[in-house]
Amino acid sequence: MKITQREAAKQFMNYDVILLGAVISLASLGLIMVLSASGIMAEKVYGDKYALFWKQVLFMVAGFTVLIFAARANMGFFYRNTYIWLLMAAGLLILTIFSPFSTTAGGASRWLRLGPFSVQPLEAAKIALVFYLSYFFANKQELVRTFSVGFLPPILMTGALCFLLLLQPDFGGAVFLSALLFLMCLVGGTRIIFLASAGMLALVSAALLVVNSPYRFRRVFSFLDPFKDAQNSGYQLVQSLYGLGSGGWMGQGLGEGKQKLFFLPEAHNDFIMSVIGEELGFIGISLVIILIGVVLWRTVMISIRQESMHDRITAFGMGSIIIIGGLLNMGVVMGAIPPKGVPMPFISYGGSHLVAGFFCAGVLLNLSRKVKA
């Protein structure tokens, strides 16, 4: 049956257009900033200053296709296959450790090489964990406040994924999944005493991992005083702070930044917010923070308006992936937390996190159609 223009517009308005507008705005700004931040490096490495930009365009097209699929799919398809998604994510993480397809960079194997592209299984693990935790808490509400049934299984499942990440090693990825677990346990109804105990145990474990790893030890102490070793362990953070500090209120102008001229490593990736601060100033940084805040606002509104507990927790978890990523990235770029290699959602260069972010937004849009009257 042919759908009229009015019916198509009505169907479109059933989605949360504010959330969609915020996501498109973030992705559009990201595309512009990748073009600005990556040109110098792309010309040196590929001989074409637009090489990384066109790759990002391709990633965005793939991501928007995934968003449309996730927004229109039957949520039952995702829910019924919860354990399949978990097994697939765990399998991909194992492949990064033991497979010839894994790519090693900086002493860590966090990527799988598939032809001309690389895939980071961590992004799949985040989404699979959200589907598992939402399924678990929705179906165990009567036992969620018990330790053996309501708390231990999600801890063990998340711990298994974190263990695989630490084998890569990816300490930052393990921290991300732990933060995701904490937030979802909080809204799922887990007792505070259990969360506090697990939090203390996690802090002790993290401290031991830092103390027993000279690499992590240097990173933590360089974060505390990056200017003490500004030419070595603190170099990246110092250059990031120079970029942010030189931007002022209005910035030096789009494309006029200096830190991307091989002073700031990963200028188009994890530290792209420093380039935004340098070129667009306080106004540009504020715009990104406001848009991330809009995503948080719409996530909360979509979540609390769901009839089903399963849908409610899923919406919260998908939004949390975006929000946690944004907060961690800003914290690293501004020197508030140790460097963890977390990209800014929808803005940093890269396909894995961009497609995953669009998927999370698509699920939120899907659930926004099911709100209570």
Side-chain angles (χ1 to χ4, degrees):
M1 182 168 50
K2 188 176 181 180
I3 299 177
T4 65
Q5 187 175 359
R6 177 176 294 182
E7 289 172 336
K10 187 176 179 181
Q11 287 182 11
F12 174 76
M13 291 303 294
N14 286 335
Y15 294 102
D16 192 316
V17 293
I18 298 177
L19 172 65
L20 181 60
V23 168
I24 291 176
S25 298
L26 282 168
S28 300
L29 176 61
L31 196 60
I32 293 170
M33 294 313 302
V34 166
L35 175 61
S36 175
S38 69
I40 300 297
M41 194 192 79
E43 187 169 24
K44 179 181 179 181
V45 176
Y46 300 100
D48 177 7
K49 64 181 179 180
Y50 298 111
L52 296 180
F53 169 74
W54 287 119
K55 275 192 174 183
Q56 188 74 350
V57 170
L58 183 61
F59 295 149
M60 190 167 293
V61 171
F64 205 75
T65 302
V66 168
L67 180 144
I68 294 172
F69 164 73
R72 298 176 62 88
N74 186 329
M75 289 302 298
F77 168 72
F78 300 123
Y79 293 160
R80 285 192 303 270
N81 298 297
T82 293
Y83 286 98
I84 292 178
W85 310 139
L86 265 180
L87 288 172
M88 288 176 62
L92 289 173
L93 290 174
I94 291 171
L95 285 176
T96 62
I97 305 166
F98 302 109
S99 164
F101 299 107
S102 65
T103 300
T104 301
S109 301
R110 302 171 186 173
W111 301 83
L112 290 175
R113 191 75 182 174
L114 301 176
F117 301 104
S118 294
V119 177
Q120 189 174 25
L122 169 62
E123 302 300 333
K126 296 173 186 176
I127 294 170
L129 183 62
V130 166
F131 279 132
Y132 165 74
L133 292 176
S134 62
Y135 168 83
F136 179 86
F137 287 120
N139 289 280
K140 301 289 183 181
Q141 274 298 297
E142 69 283 358
L143 298 171
V144 77
R145 297 182 67 80
T146 65
F147 179 81
S148 60
V149 177
F151 181 67
L152 200 55
I155 284 288
L156 292 175
M157 189 64 72
T158 307
L161 294 176
C162 289
F163 176 73
L164 292 174
L165 287 168
L166 291 174
L167 290 179
Q168 292 181 350
D170 186 358
F171 185 70
V175 169
F176 196 112
L177 293 191
S178 298
L180 197 56
L181 170 68
F182 177 83
L183 290 177
M184 294 192 69
C185 282
L186 203 60
V187 300
T190 301
R191 295 179 65 183
I192 297 298
I193 186 64
F194 295 157
L195 287 177
S197 301
M200 290 299 296
L201 180 61
L203 287 175
V204 171
S205 301
L208 290 173
L209 286 171
V210 169
V211 170
N212 291 315
S213 171
Y215 168 70
R216 296 192 188 105
F217 191 83
R218 285 195 303 271
R219 293 191 77 179
V220 168
F221 278 87
S222 66
F223 139 75
L224 294 174
D225 188 5
F227 289 91
K228 187 176 181 180
D229 191 13
Q231 295 301 317
N232 191 6
S233 58
Y235 179 80
Q236 193 169 30
L237 179 53
V238 166
Q239 297 303 318
S240 174
L241 294 175
Y242 282 156
L244 290 170
S246 63
W249 284 93
M250 303 298 293
Q252 297 184 9
L254 185 63
E256 298 299 320
K258 305 297 188 295
Q259 291 304 111
K260 63 191 180 185
L261 304 178
F262 303 111
F263 293 104
L264 176 63
E266 303 294 334
H268 61 295
N269 198 339
D270 298 342
F271 280 79
I272 197 169
M273 288 301 294
S274 181
V275 178
I276 292 177
E278 184 182 14
E279 297 188 354
L280 303 183
F282 178 79
I283 301 299
I285 293 288
S286 298
L287 176 61
V288 175
I289 292 174
I290 289 169
L291 290 172
I292 292 291
V294 171
V295 174
L296 172 60
W297 166 45
R298 299 318 302 166
T299 294
V300 172
M301 296 308 296
I302 293 169
S303 180
I304 63 178
R305 291 176 179 175
Q306 297 301 310
E307 293 276 7
S308 161
M309 174 67 76
H310 201 163
D311 290 339
R312 191 175 305 147
I313 300 177
T314 299
F316 179 82
M318 292 297 169
S320 294
I321 291 176
I322 299 172
I323 302 305
I324 293 172
L327 291 176
L328 289 178
N329 180 271
M330 287 297 297
V332 168
V333 170
M334 294 182 175
I337 59 176
K340 296 188 184 305
V342 180
M344 174 58 73
F346 303 111
I347 293 182
S348 294
Y349 171 81
S352 296
H353 80 89
L354 187 62
V355 171
F358 272 117
F359 179 85
C360 293
V363 171
L364 281 168
L365 290 170
N366 192 322
L367 294 173
S368 71
R369 299 181 300 166
K370 302 169 64 175
V371 298
K372 294 183 287 189

